[in-house]
């Protein structure tokens, strides 16, 4: 089982040495997974733990000012993917103003050397780190020569001749191309979280929903979707979901609401992951609740068709 730590300072996490990689890893896509697999193989060859150094929020998100970063994954998602890749240690550092001002040399000394006792460090060719992004592969290699670790630059990972990048996956998701995004992610895009209490409006309209608050996370997708919901017993459960601010009822905070077809149960407090299968339409404001319900009927029917389900009377959850 993966061990997760958050402090840059402290006793060594791998006293005998480690093989590690460093990065933001938003989405943990196929390129990331190829890198993690290489780290795991080298760690096995040397008899050392495999480690990852990552950041929350990721640096681009922290520095974003006018255009917030659309996130592919949160920390929970990343931990699941790192564990699936066989990573032993995750050092997920809180990227704040203090860490942002660390010089590259301090990061190497405190995190890579003191904290993780690095023996081999894997990074991408365009890796930059430290205050002002002054640290690069050349500086890292020079430091490694002095500190006793080797630096490997992992080549870009391509699908159909194109480099796999988190930014491109965000673009595909925003365009509703969930199949294209899945080809680069290595799995279908999901958003997960704990089911929270809502206003019970969906229940009154005949479409009770499991509500998942996004918190500070900004989703790359918005609208109405055919989905599969993970986290219940057995196979993923089909449904229809809305992700947005709910303009018809004057909502303001983004909310993910999933109506599970032909399901009746209490989901409050449970962790669910909503897998996006197809986009049905954009979110819109309706004249009244009756008009909204008529559209919800159409959305549910369309989602059932996409998911290969028979048309049926409405049923739902108690969340």
């Amino acid at each position: 089982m993966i061990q997760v730590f958050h402090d840059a300072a402290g006793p060594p996490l791998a006293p005998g040495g480690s093989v590690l990689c460093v990065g933001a890893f938003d989405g943990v896509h196929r390129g990331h997974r190829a890198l993690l697999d290489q780290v795991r193989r080298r760690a096995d060859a040397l008899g050392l733990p495999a480690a990852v150094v990552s950041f929350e929020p990721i640096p681009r998100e922290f520095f974003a000012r006018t255009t917030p970063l659309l996130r592919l994954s949160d920390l929970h998602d990343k931990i699941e993917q790192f564990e699936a890749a066989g990573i032993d240690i995750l050092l997920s550092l809180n990227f704040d103003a203090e860490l942002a001002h660390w010089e590259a040399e301090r990061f190497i000394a405190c995190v890579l050397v003191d904290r993780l006792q690095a023996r081999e460090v894997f990074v991408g060719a365009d890796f930059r780190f430290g205050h002002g992004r002054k640290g690069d592969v050349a500086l890292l290699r020079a430091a490694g020569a002095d500190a006793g670790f080797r630096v490997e630059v992992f080549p870009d990972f391509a699908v159909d001749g194109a480099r796999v990048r988190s930014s491109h996956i965000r673009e595909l998701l925003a365009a509703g191309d969930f199949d294209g995004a899945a080809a680069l992610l290595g799995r279908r895009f999901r958003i997960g979280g704990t089911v929270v209490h809502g206003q019970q409006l969906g229940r009154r309209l005949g479409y009770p929903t499991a509500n998942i608050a996004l918190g500070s996370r900004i989703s790359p997708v918005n609208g109405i979707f055919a989905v599969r919901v993970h986290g219940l017993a057995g196979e993923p459960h089909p449904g229809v979901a809305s992700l947005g601010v709910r303009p018809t009822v004057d909502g303001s905070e983004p909310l993910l609401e999933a109506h599970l077809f032909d399901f009746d149960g209490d989901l409050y407090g449970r962790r669910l992951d909503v897998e996006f299968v197809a986009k049905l339409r954009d979110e819109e404001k309706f004249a009244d609740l009756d008009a909204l319900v008529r559209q919800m009927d159409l959305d549910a029917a369309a989602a059932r068709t996409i998911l290969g389900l028979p048309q049926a009377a409405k049923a739902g959850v108690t969340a």
Side-chain angles (χ1 to χ4, degrees):
M1 179 178 293
I2 190 170
Q3 295 180 287
V4 182
F5 304 90
H6 301 284
D7 297 323
L13 301 177
S18 70
V19 176
L20 65 88
C21 54
V22 187
F25 295 100
D26 190 30
V28 194
H29 54 57
R30 289 179 63 188
H32 295 144
R33 183 57 187 261
L35 170 58
L36 296 171
D37 289 346
Q38 178 63 12
V39 168
R40 178 70 267 169
R41 285 192 293 269
R42 287 299 301 156
D44 288 342
L46 296 174
L48 299 174
V52 170
V53 179
S54 192
F55 311 91
E56 284 294 335
I58 64 177
R60 281 188 58 199
E61 184 179 13
F62 176 82
F63 288 115
R65 294 292 182 263
T66 58
T67 305
L69 181 67
L70 309 178
R71 288 293 301 268
L72 298 176
S73 58
D74 59 14
L75 179 58
H76 185 281
D77 300 327
K78 292 201 294 187
I79 290 172
E80 282 190 342
Q81 294 303 315
F82 292 148
E83 187 163 26
I87 297 302
D88 301 302
I89 299 169
L90 168 61
L91 181 55
S92 179
L93 298 174
N94 176 33
F95 196 89
D96 56 13
E98 179 185 355
L99 188 61
H101 280 85
W102 276 30
E103 298 296 338
E105 293 83 359
R106 182 181 179 187
F107 179 83
I108 294 169
C110 292
V111 175
L112 304 187
V113 177
D114 292 345
R115 199 78 163 109
L116 286 165
Q117 305 286 298
R119 293 269 298 277
E120 292 188 5
V121 177
F122 286 77
V123 295
D126 57 356
F127 179 63
R128 296 291 185 276
F129 67 108
H131 182 56
R133 292 170 54 85
K134 295 177 182 177
D136 57 12
V137 172
L139 186 150
L140 190 60
R141 279 185 165 145
D146 292 334
F149 63 82
R150 186 166 64 90
V151 176
E152 287 289 337
V153 175
F154 193 78
D156 290 340
F157 185 88
V159 172
D160 296 330
R163 178 189 176 192
V164 178
R165 297 175 292 112
S166 296
S167 58
H168 183 42
I169 296 171
R170 296 185 191 104
E171 293 168 358
L172 292 172
L173 291 172
D177 186 357
F178 293 107
D179 291 339
L184 304 186
L185 277 170
R187 61 195 183 281
R188 300 199 73 85
F189 176 68
R190 302 181 186 181
I191 291 179
T194 302
V195 177
V196 299
H197 288 271
Q199 298 176 334
Q200 303 289 323
L201 178 61
R203 174 166 299 283
R204 295 197 297 273
L205 299 179
Y207 285 94
T209 58
N211 303 323
I212 298 173
L214 300 183
S216 61
R217 177 176 177 178
I218 302 177
S219 167
V221 302
N222 288 278
I224 314 302
F225 307 89
V227 300
R228 296 187 182 94
V229 179
H230 300 251
L232 289 76
E235 295 296 313
H237 202 95
V240 61
S242 167
L243 198 163
V245 297
R246 299 156 294 142
T248 303
V249 295
D250 298 322
S252 58
E253 296 296 325
L255 183 69
L256 174 56
E257 302 175 283
H259 171 72
L260 282 64
F261 293 136
D262 311 315
F263 178 85
D264 186 17
D266 185 353
L267 298 175
Y268 290 127
R270 295 184 64 167
R271 164 85 189 193
L272 297 181
D273 290 279
V274 179
E275 172 192 307
F276 294 82
V277 177
K279 184 170 182 176
L280 304 178
R281 61 177 176 87
D282 289 328
E283 190 177 38
E284 58 183 298
K285 184 171 184 175
F286 293 91
D288 52 41
L289 293 180
D290 287 339
L292 173 60
V293 171
R294 287 193 294 271
Q295 183 60 57
M296 292 168 71
D297 290 340
L298 295 174
D299 295 336
R304 283 182 174 273
T305 298
I306 290 170
L307 297 169
L309 300 175
Q311 300 300 322
K314 293 181 290 186
V317 299
T318 61

mmCIF file of all heavy atoms in Angstrom, residues 201 204-205 248-250 286-296:
data_model
loop_
_atom_site.group_PDB
_atom_site.id
_atom_site.type_symbol
_atom_site.label_atom_id
_atom_site.label_comp_id
_atom_site.label_asym_id
_atom_site.label_seq_id
_atom_site.Cartn_x
_atom_site.Cartn_y
_atom_site.Cartn_z
ATOM 1 N N LEU A 201 -34.305 19.412 -4.205
ATOM 2 C CA LEU A 201 -35.132 19.834 -5.326
ATOM 3 C C LEU A 201 -35.301 18.719 -6.347
ATOM 4 O O LEU A 201 -36.394 18.503 -6.878
ATOM 5 C CB LEU A 201 -34.523 21.070 -5.998
ATOM 6 C CG LEU A 201 -35.273 21.597 -7.230
ATOM 7 C CD1 LEU A 201 -36.688 22.017 -6.854
ATOM 8 C CD2 LEU A 201 -34.508 22.753 -7.864
ATOM 9 N N ARG A 204 -38.030 16.394 -5.409
ATOM 10 C CA ARG A 204 -39.362 16.952 -5.608
ATOM 11 C C ARG A 204 -39.744 16.969 -7.082
ATOM 12 O O ARG A 204 -40.936 16.914 -7.418
ATOM 13 C CB ARG A 204 -39.427 18.376 -5.036
ATOM 14 C CG ARG A 204 -39.246 18.432 -3.520
ATOM 15 C CD ARG A 204 -39.723 19.758 -2.950
ATOM 16 N NE ARG A 204 -38.959 20.892 -3.444
ATOM 17 C CZ ARG A 204 -37.838 21.323 -2.880
ATOM 18 N NH1 ARG A 204 -37.311 20.699 -1.826
ATOM 19 N NH2 ARG A 204 -37.207 22.376 -3.373
ATOM 20 N N LEU A 205 -38.739 17.036 -7.956
ATOM 21 C CA LEU A 205 -39.012 17.053 -9.395
ATOM 22 C C LEU A 205 -39.055 15.653 -9.996
ATOM 23 O O LEU A 205 -39.282 15.512 -11.198
ATOM 24 C CB LEU A 205 -37.944 17.880 -10.119
ATOM 25 C CG LEU A 205 -37.841 19.348 -9.711
ATOM 26 C CD1 LEU A 205 -36.740 20.038 -10.495
ATOM 27 C CD2 LEU A 205 -39.171 20.064 -9.914
ATOM 28 N N THR A 248 -31.415 27.768 -13.502
ATOM 29 C CA THR A 248 -32.872 27.849 -13.365
ATOM 30 C C THR A 248 -33.290 28.122 -11.929
ATOM 31 O O THR A 248 -34.319 28.767 -11.672
ATOM 32 C CB THR A 248 -33.539 26.564 -13.885
ATOM 33 O OG1 THR A 248 -33.143 26.355 -15.248
ATOM 34 C CG2 THR A 248 -35.051 26.641 -13.813
ATOM 35 N N VAL A 249 -32.492 27.628 -10.971
ATOM 36 C CA VAL A 249 -32.830 27.829 -9.555
ATOM 37 C C VAL A 249 -31.866 28.823 -8.909
ATOM 38 O O VAL A 249 -31.697 28.839 -7.693
ATOM 39 C CB VAL A 249 -32.826 26.488 -8.792
ATOM 40 C CG1 VAL A 249 -33.925 25.576 -9.321
ATOM 41 C CG2 VAL A 249 -31.472 25.789 -8.898
ATOM 42 N N ASP A 250 -31.209 29.639 -9.760
ATOM 43 C CA ASP A 250 -30.322 30.712 -9.290
ATOM 44 C C ASP A 250 -29.168 30.189 -8.442
ATOM 45 O O ASP A 250 -28.779 30.784 -7.431
ATOM 46 C CB ASP A 250 -31.112 31.755 -8.489
ATOM 47 C CG ASP A 250 -32.177 32.444 -9.334
ATOM 48 O OD1 ASP A 250 -31.893 32.706 -10.515
ATOM 49 O OD2 ASP A 250 -33.283 32.686 -8.823
ATOM 50 N N PHE A 286 -34.109 27.684 -17.697
ATOM 51 C CA PHE A 286 -35.466 27.477 -18.200
ATOM 52 C C PHE A 286 -36.415 28.475 -17.554
ATOM 53 O O PHE A 286 -36.149 29.022 -16.473
ATOM 54 C CB PHE A 286 -35.909 26.042 -17.919
ATOM 55 C CG PHE A 286 -35.130 25.029 -18.710
ATOM 56 C CD1 PHE A 286 -33.972 24.455 -18.180
ATOM 57 C CD2 PHE A 286 -35.517 24.675 -19.989
ATOM 58 C CE1 PHE A 286 -33.242 23.540 -18.906
ATOM 59 C CE2 PHE A 286 -34.788 23.765 -20.733
ATOM 60 C CZ PHE A 286 -33.644 23.191 -20.190
ATOM 61 N N ALA A 287 -37.546 28.693 -18.233
ATOM 62 C CA ALA A 287 -38.510 29.695 -17.778
ATOM 63 C C ALA A 287 -39.107 29.335 -16.430
ATOM 64 O O ALA A 287 -39.399 30.212 -15.611
ATOM 65 C CB ALA A 287 -39.607 29.879 -18.822
ATOM 66 N N ASP A 288 -39.308 28.037 -16.194
ATOM 67 C CA ASP A 288 -39.901 27.597 -14.928
ATOM 68 C C ASP A 288 -39.531 26.141 -14.696
ATOM 69 O O ASP A 288 -38.893 25.494 -15.544
ATOM 70 C CB ASP A 288 -41.421 27.779 -14.927
ATOM 71 C CG ASP A 288 -42.090 27.148 -16.144
ATOM 72 O OD1 ASP A 288 -41.687 26.018 -16.533
ATOM 73 O OD2 ASP A 288 -43.010 27.769 -16.703
ATOM 74 N N LEU A 289 -39.939 25.604 -13.538
ATOM 75 C CA LEU A 289 -39.580 24.239 -13.182
ATOM 76 C C LEU A 289 -40.266 23.215 -14.069
ATOM 77 O O LEU A 289 -39.704 22.138 -14.332
ATOM 78 C CB LEU A 289 -39.894 23.978 -11.711
ATOM 79 C CG LEU A 289 -39.045 24.751 -10.696
ATOM 80 C CD1 LEU A 289 -39.461 24.392 -9.271
ATOM 81 C CD2 LEU A 289 -37.563 24.466 -10.887
ATOM 82 N N ASP A 290 -41.457 23.510 -14.564
ATOM 83 C CA ASP A 290 -42.136 22.572 -15.454
ATOM 84 C C ASP A 290 -41.327 22.382 -16.742
ATOM 85 O O ASP A 290 -41.179 21.258 -17.235
ATOM 86 C CB ASP A 290 -43.543 23.076 -15.787
ATOM 87 C CG ASP A 290 -44.508 22.953 -14.608
ATOM 88 O OD1 ASP A 290 -44.209 22.143 -13.703
ATOM 89 O OD2 ASP A 290 -45.529 23.648 -14.605
ATOM 90 N N ALA A 291 -40.817 23.472 -17.264
ATOM 91 C CA ALA A 291 -39.992 23.376 -18.476
ATOM 92 C C ALA A 291 -38.704 22.612 -18.184
ATOM 93 O O ALA A 291 -38.226 21.825 -19.023
ATOM 94 C CB ALA A 291 -39.679 24.774 -18.997
ATOM 95 N N LEU A 292 -38.151 22.835 -17.010
ATOM 96 C CA LEU A 292 -36.945 22.109 -16.628
ATOM 97 C C LEU A 292 -37.209 20.608 -16.557
ATOM 98 O O LEU A 292 -36.416 19.800 -17.060
ATOM 99 C CB LEU A 292 -36.448 22.626 -15.276
ATOM 100 C CG LEU A 292 -35.289 21.865 -14.633
ATOM 101 C CD1 LEU A 292 -34.054 21.889 -15.524
ATOM 102 C CD2 LEU A 292 -34.957 22.429 -13.249
ATOM 103 N N VAL A 293 -38.335 20.203 -15.959
ATOM 104 C CA VAL A 293 -38.657 18.781 -15.830
ATOM 105 C C VAL A 293 -38.872 18.147 -17.195
ATOM 106 O O VAL A 293 -38.433 17.019 -17.446
ATOM 107 C CB VAL A 293 -39.892 18.580 -14.931
ATOM 108 C CG1 VAL A 293 -40.361 17.123 -14.979
ATOM 109 C CG2 VAL A 293 -39.568 18.975 -13.500
ATOM 110 N N ARG A 294 -39.526 18.869 -18.104
ATOM 111 C CA ARG A 294 -39.717 18.316 -19.454
ATOM 112 C C ARG A 294 -38.369 18.038 -20.117
ATOM 113 O O ARG A 294 -38.181 17.009 -20.776
ATOM 114 C CB ARG A 294 -40.548 19.282 -20.298
ATOM 115 C CG ARG A 294 -42.014 19.316 -19.916
ATOM 116 C CD ARG A 294 -42.842 20.023 -20.966
ATOM 117 N NE ARG A 294 -42.529 21.442 -21.070
ATOM 118 C CZ ARG A 294 -43.104 22.401 -20.358
ATOM 119 N NH1 ARG A 294 -44.029 22.085 -19.444
ATOM 120 N NH2 ARG A 294 -42.777 23.667 -20.530
ATOM 121 N N GLN A 295 -37.407 18.955 -19.926
ATOM 122 C CA GLN A 295 -36.084 18.727 -20.495
ATOM 123 C C GLN A 295 -35.351 17.593 -19.782
ATOM 124 O O GLN A 295 -34.644 16.804 -20.408
ATOM 125 C CB GLN A 295 -35.257 20.007 -20.423
ATOM 126 C CG GLN A 295 -33.881 19.890 -21.059
ATOM 127 C CD GLN A 295 -33.946 19.531 -22.527
ATOM 128 O OE1 GLN A 295 -34.572 20.242 -23.309
ATOM 129 N NE2 GLN A 295 -33.297 18.436 -22.914
ATOM 130 N N MET A 296 -35.539 17.494 -18.466
ATOM 131 C CA MET A 296 -34.917 16.403 -17.715
ATOM 132 C C MET A 296 -35.433 15.056 -18.193
ATOM 133 O O MET A 296 -34.671 14.076 -18.263
ATOM 134 C CB MET A 296 -35.166 16.588 -16.220
ATOM 135 C CG MET A 296 -34.442 17.796 -15.619
ATOM 136 S SD MET A 296 -34.994 18.220 -13.949
ATOM 137 C CE MET A 296 -34.329 16.857 -12.992
#
